[in-house]
Amino acid sequence: MTCDLSTDLGPLGLANPVMNASGTFGYGDEWPRLCNTAVLGAIVTKTLTLEPRAGNPPPRLQETPSGLLNSIGLQNVGVTAFLAEHLSALRALRPPVIASVGGASAEEFAAVVERLEAGALEAYELNVSCPNVAQGGLSFGRSPGETARVVRGVRRVTQRPLFVKLTPNVTDIVAIGRAALDEGATGLTAVNTFLGMEIDLERSRPRFGRVGAGLSGPAIRPLALYRIWELARSLDCPLIGAGGIVTARDAAAFMMAGATAVQVGTATLRDPARPAALVTELATFAEARGLARIRDLVASLEGLRDVP
Amino acid sequence: MTRRPVQGRAAPDRAPAGGPLGEPALFSGGVLRNQRVAAGLYELLLAVPDAGDPPRPGQFVSLVLESGVAQPEFEGLEGPLLRRPFSVAGFVQARGRRRLKLLYASVGRITRRMAALVPGANIGLLGPLGTPFPLEVPEPILLVGGGRGIAPLLYLGETLACRGRAFALVYGARRGAEMLPAGQLPGGSIWLATEDGARGRRGTVLDVLDGLRLEAPTVMACGPHGMLASVAGWSAARGAACWVSVEAVFGCGTGLCGGCAIPAAGKPPDFLWACRQGPVLPAESVDWERWNASDL
Ligand SMILES: Cc1cc2nc3c(=O)[nH]c(=O)nc-3n(C[C@H](O)[C@H](O)[C@H](O)COP(=O)(O)OP(=O)(O)OC[C@H]3O[C@@H](n4cnc5c(N)ncnc54)[C@H](O)[C@@H]3O)c2cc1C
Ligand SMILES: Cc1cc2nc3c(=O)[nH]c(=O)nc-3n(C[C@H](O)[C@H](O)[C@H](O)COP(=O)(O)O)c2cc1C
Ligand code: FES
């Protein structure tokens, strides 16, 4: 039996639930053959800001046990160069394009989306959760009020599906998610990276210039899975799971906990073809279990919505 | 150490093509030989599939010790998550067989495990990646290598020799024991420098360069970035065009993550991505002062 991999994120239909995570796949148009990008359920761009950004001074990376700390700082070419240099190549690939949007103010978020409205793309993912920038990033994503303000501003300029990417670095992730949905967000992506740090013992100082950096990779998978479960228990909206996903078993666990789709981030650095390979592996996984439709896996965890 | 006829040193059938760089590929490499060639320095000879673009001198491959192309299940506790980049130190293609040579210093978790690889083992490779050294440049070409930075210059020197190009080599290391044997170095004009004075001149490659009576319009260097900065300055002062192969800690090695930023000249705070815009860069495109002042 073949498994129907198609799924829906609200109004956005996907051929399968697998996409790349923002920031670990370039703009999405790099290496279409090596990555076999055309088979993905959707392609998510690097977070785009109004102007180009240089990002943080090196060092920007530190490997940790089964994980990676990064302090990239949203280096990107800016929305104008993205539209001119990347979108048509992305468009030539089949999958829907989700533009990841960032900004230092609610106004910048809206301005970026306004510029992107002219482009042929399907949806937005608002990155209110980057731990590596002084303004915007976490300071928005940690406050229900600020998150609401960003979403409200963006909703005024677009009818397209809108996903808000949440930070796990909060006491109550559900409150932030609810604030986003109340302002018209279509769904939520969870999670962005966990704040962590490393100390350079030889020099007796922090490894990263901003001290804190974002932890990702298999090390965070159980933490991220728990956030999806928390969101799914309380909110009724499409969820996109991210955090340490490498294999079909990982993806299936996120889907059972309530994710409709999944993103592969850090694993792509090790194997750029990993997201595409996951599409096939997910089908194999589902077929081995006699699953006719992958969407039947979503939120199938027994007792998901029961109060403990 | 005696000099043996090594496949990795034979003349390539087909010199690496010019023209646009192709897309890299994932493939596996079979270990044919893995041996210590100097203190802490090893040579790994791999059988690789006869497909895809051959690497050009200056390009690198990125490896995981787990064999095969697909790595469906990353076992976190068994090894580092990220690939490790290594310059192509030699490449031959003959009668439908390809051999890839890497020269590596055993400095950490992966490179220590690499030293234990035995013939018959398989490792996972991704490449060829990054920018190559330009070959159509004025001669003679002065190659300058420091420590493990000699690796890409071996393949570069071999390629230049095959094409009958004039070049000379300046090679330095901290200790003589850490140096490749003379018989494994490319070309006929070779100057050595060691900080312990065991081989060649006591001092650094810069000391050799300062005493050098050779007009070289082109310089190509690989080594620690402090050395590259000095070589860049030395070249600029003599009006020589200088190309450097830089190192940074890589996340992906493929231009997907932005982890490998090094300071770009001219317009601070801009950065170059060492893996995609490099590793071979015109020396003047790098902001050496900002780099030397940084933590890397
Ligand atoms: C383009 C490129 C080409 C390279 N070519 C060669 C080559 O031909 N031969 C060779 O021996 N090495 C080469 N290197 C360096 C090599 O990639 C590192 O030595 C290797 O990744 C270390 O891995 P490890 O797991 O053994 O060390 P780890 O356990 O990860 O680290 C050990 C120590 O090395 C440092 N380190 C780790 N990675 C790097 C790096 N990329 N640059 C500088 N320091 C690092 C760490 O900070 C730590 O102090 C190259 C690097 C680049 C970027
Ligand atoms: C190097 C790197 C860069 C990232 N850049 C972005 C970014 O620009 N925008 C964003 O929303 N998330 C960014 N992230 C977070 C990832 O999209 C993802 O949410 C997180 O890494 C968890 O998933 P993973 O464990 O599969 O990597 C980045 C992560 C890494 C490792
Ligand atoms: S290492 Fe990822 S972009 Fe260079």
Side-chain angles (χ1 to χ4, degrees), chain B residues 84-87 103-105 107-111 148 151 247-248 250:
Chain B
R84 296 293 191 267
F86 295 91
S87 302
L103 184 78
Y104 63 96
V107 297
R109 290 163 298 164
I110 289 281
T111 48
R148 68 190 186 206
E247 269 190 24
F250 284 2

Side-chain angles (χ1 to χ4, degrees), chain B residues 36-129:
Chain B
R36 184 178 170 282
V37 287
L41 200 62
Y42 298 78
E43 185 189 283
L44 179 63
L45 187 70
L46 298 161
V48 295
D50 186 28
D53 290 334
R56 298 193 222 170
Q59 288 194 292
F60 66 95
V61 293
S62 197
L63 63 81
V64 286
L65 292 179
E66 294 68 19
S67 66
V69 174
Q71 300 103 31
E73 196 114 17
F74 167 67
E75 300 292 347
L77 293 176
E78 284 187 11
L81 177 63
L82 301 175
R83 287 172 179 272
R84 296 293 191 267
F86 295 91
S87 302
V88 174
F91 177 80
V92 281
Q93 173 170 282
R95 297 180 304 278
R97 294 195 311 177
R98 286 183 177 195
R99 300 285 182 263
L100 175 70
K101 189 173 80 178
L102 306 180
L103 184 78
Y104 63 96
S106 168
V107 297
R109 290 163 298 164
I110 289 281
T111 48
R112 269 198 296 273
R113 285 171 57 191
M114 282 167 72
L117 286 171
V118 291
N122 280 292
I123 63 173
L125 295 158
L126 168 59
L129 294 162

Side-chain angles (χ1 to χ4, degrees), chain B residues 111-158:
Chain B
T111 48
R112 269 198 296 273
R113 285 171 57 191
M114 282 167 72
L117 286 171
V118 291
N122 280 292
I123 63 173
L125 295 158
L126 168 59
L129 294 162
T131 51
F133 285 107
L135 298 177
E136 299 310 316
V137 290
E139 299 167 30
I141 304 166
L142 187 59
L143 311 187
V144 185
R148 68 190 186 206
I150 190 69
L153 304 183
L154 297 179
Y155 184 34
L156 175 62
E158 232 166 60

Side-chain angles (χ1 to χ4, degrees), chain A residues 20-24 44-48 60-61 68-72 74-75 100 125-130 132 165-166 189-194 214-221 224 242-246 263-269, chain B residues 256-259:
Chain A
N20 65 287
S22 177
T24 51
V44 187
T45 69
K46 172 73 188 171
T47 294
L48 304 166
R60 291 180 171 187
L61 298 176
L68 175 68
L69 279 167
N70 91 80
S71 180
I72 307 289
L74 294 189
Q75 178 174 4
S100 171
E125 182 179 82
L126 304 184
N127 177 4
V128 292
S129 45
C130 178
N132 299 321
K165 186 165 177 182
L166 303 177
T189 303
V191 292
N192 207 317
T193 52
F194 284 80
L215 185 66
S216 64
I220 71 167
R221 179 166 48 81
I245 295 172
V246 185
Q263 297 181 344
V264 183
T266 303
T268 310
L269 307 187
Chain B
L256 296 175
C257 75

Side-chain angles (χ1 to χ4, degrees), chain A residues 23-27 30-35 46 54-61 63-68 72 75 200 203 205-207 216-218 246-250 266-274 281, chain B residues 22-26 64-66 69-77 79-84 109 126 129 249-263 269-273 276 291 294-296:
Chain A
T24 51
F25 208 59
Y27 295 94
E30 288 89 350
W31 315 128
R33 276 181 296 144
L34 173 66
C35 302
K46 172 73 188 171
N56 293 333
R60 291 180 171 187
L61 298 176
E63 217 175 328
T64 70
S66 296
L68 175 68
I72 307 289
Q75 178 174 4
D200 181 339
R203 302 181 218 220
R205 61 172 190 236
R207 160 85 175 159
S216 64
V246 185
T247 66
R249 299 177 66 87
D250 301 340
T266 303
T268 310
L269 307 187
R270 180 180 170 90
D271 178 0
R274 183 95 299 265
E281 291 165 14
Chain B
E23 209 156 319
L26 288 155
V64 286
L65 292 179
E66 294 68 19
V69 174
Q71 300 103 31
E73 196 114 17
F74 167 67
E75 300 292 347
L77 293 176
L81 177 63
L82 301 175
R83 287 172 179 272
R84 296 293 191 267
R109 290 163 298 164
L126 168 59
L129 294 162
V249 173
F250 284 2
C252 63
T254 51
L256 296 175
C257 75
C260 58
I262 60 166
D270 280 3
F271 297 101
L272 295 164
W273 288 8
R276 186 89 194 261
W291 196 354
S294 83
D295 257 6
L296 291 180

Side-chain angles (χ1 to χ4, degrees), chain A residues 237-261:
Chain A
C237 72
L239 295 174
I240 306 172
I245 295 172
V246 185
T247 66
R249 299 177 66 87
D250 301 340
F254 275 79
M255 296 184 76
M256 285 179 70
T260 298

